[in-house]
Amino acid sequence: MSKRRTPGQEAVEKKGWLRANTWLLLRRLSQLGILGMFLLGPLAGLWLIKGTLSASTAFGFLPLTDPLTVAQSLAAGHVPEAAVLVGMLVVLAVYTVIGGRMYCAWVCPINLLTDIATWLNRRLEIKGNLNLSRSLRYWLLGMIIISAAVTGSIIWEWFNPVTMVQRGLLFSMGFGWLLAAEIFILDAFVLRHGWCGHLCPVGAAYSLLGFTAALRVKAARRERCTDCTDCFAVCPEPQVIRPALKGSSDVILSHNCLNCGRCIDVCPQEVFVFSKRA
Ligand code: SF4
Ligand code: SF4
């Protein structure tokens, strides 16, 4: 009996390892580079970025603020200071052009963890029988805003794994370890893409910036598709691919596409490319 090929294997054979992993390598470079820039301050006294992914200042002058943090602050009845609002506008401007969920694939440190968990999940061929709706994350997002309004404080930041893990790395792990372990167990053993694809309200908030994004993945050579399903197997949001392969537009228009480029990497027929919205 012939052994089933793993997703991406055919692409490696046809295009070579480097071309079958280009976007993955670039993403790792981006994720580790950004984390490294945050770490250089406390570890080496070189403050390229000060703060956390919730609110920071880059290169001593550029404020960057997570829009969800500002939304909670406003819901809680606190108007942030001008620099924080400017930081939010900078972030909004960038992500409405490149796609909100690029944050998830190219910046968020949790993605490193969930990618390892997904790899393990696939290796162990764990299907899992938990059936969660992918819209649950939007309900959680709504609850976070409501709880800020009711309590008058940014209560989510006490539990936000993105900043907890980052703070943990910067200032010693603490509670962040526990959250990281829970997310890893969820994704590896209970539900594939459980955190990023179903629960994370931070990703849900960034996805709302993806409706108008100019940068898109396009199935530019979709007539070449052999239905091998490798792109579906590696995509963290596989439901976004089919319309571009079989529908009226060959552009992936879903606000949930992470622009991670993994489908471009693993397609042996080189169907996908990064493109601008038509
Ligand atoms: S469609 Fe491609 S770029 Fe978009 S999330 Fe899936 S693998 Fe990543
Ligand atoms: S686009 Fe078609 S050929 Fe390419 S990875 Fe997806 S299913 Fe396979």
Side-chain angles (χ1 to χ4, degrees):
M1 201 167 71
S2 65
K3 202 171 163 234
R4 199 210 173 293
R5 288 178 177 217
T6 54
Q9 200 177 330
E10 195 185 341
V12 171
E13 286 162 13
K14 282 203 167 154
K15 307 194 291 189
W17 188 89
L18 195 58
R19 286 192 57 223
N21 288 284
T22 304
W23 293 106
L24 179 64
L25 290 173
L26 290 173
R27 271 195 319 116
R28 292 291 177 259
L29 215 60
S30 166
Q31 291 165 329
L32 294 171
I34 290 167
L35 205 52
M37 278 164 60
F38 275 107
L39 283 170
L40 273 176
L43 294 182
L46 185 57
W47 296 96
L48 297 175
I49 301 185
K50 230 178 193 168
T52 68
L53 285 167
S54 283
S56 58
T57 305
F59 313 114
F61 72 93
L62 183 66
L64 297 166
T65 315
D66 173 28
L68 179 55
T69 309
V70 176
Q72 290 175 86
S73 183
L74 291 171
H78 310 301
V79 179
E81 55 190 64
V84 172
L85 292 173
V86 171
M88 179 194 68
L89 291 176
V90 171
V91 169
L92 286 177
V94 171
Y95 284 109
T96 45
V97 173
I98 65 172
R101 292 209 65 199
M102 268 193 103
Y103 171 87
C104 306
W106 293 80
V107 176
C108 180
I110 296 286
N111 183 268
L112 286 161
L113 185 76
T114 53
D115 273 1
I116 298 169
T118 306
W119 173 84
L120 184 64
N121 177 283
R122 263 199 223 105
R123 292 287 296 189
L124 300 177
E125 296 184 10
I126 295 171
K127 293 269 184 279
N129 52 12
L130 184 64
N131 202 0
L132 285 185
S133 164
R134 285 183 181 264
S135 58
L136 190 53
R137 49 191 156 178
Y138 296 103
W139 289 101
L140 291 174
L141 177 60
M143 279 168 58
I144 284 166
I145 301 294
I146 291 168
S147 53
V150 170
T151 62
S153 69
I154 305 180
I155 202 159
W156 164 245
E157 285 310 308
W158 293 33
F159 308 97
N160 182 356
V162 179
T163 41
M164 289 293 291
V165 166
Q166 195 201 14
R167 267 194 216 110
L169 283 167
L170 293 176
F171 311 114
S172 86
M173 218 41 190
F175 188 46
W177 270 121
L178 190 62
L179 281 171
E182 284 171 358
I183 289 172
F184 186 86
I185 290 167
L186 172 73
D187 276 31
F189 304 111
V190 182
L191 179 65
R192 188 176 293 178
H193 305 301
W195 177 252
C196 299
H198 296 77
L199 295 175
C200 180
V202 180
Y206 274 98
S207 83
L208 300 178
L209 306 178
F211 286 101
T212 55
L215 183 65
R216 299 281 168 174
V217 172
K218 181 176 178 177
R221 291 180 283 261
R222 63 181 181 173
E223 71 287 351
R224 290 192 192 172
C225 175
T226 57
D227 290 322
C228 72
T229 72
D230 279 11
C231 54
F232 292 92
V234 298
C235 178
E237 303 278 353
Q239 76 281 3
V240 308
I241 295 178
R242 186 164 301 281
L245 284 180
K246 312 287 180 194
S248 54
S249 169
D250 58 0
V251 179
I252 293 180
L253 292 169
S254 170
H255 58 294
N256 269 320
C257 172
L258 284 75
N259 277 350
C260 67
R262 195 63 186 135
C263 53
I264 303 175
D265 280 344
V266 303
C267 179
Q269 306 303 328
E270 305 195 45
V271 164
F272 300 103
V273 290
F274 272 119
S275 173
K276 60 182 189 325
R277 193 190 185 100

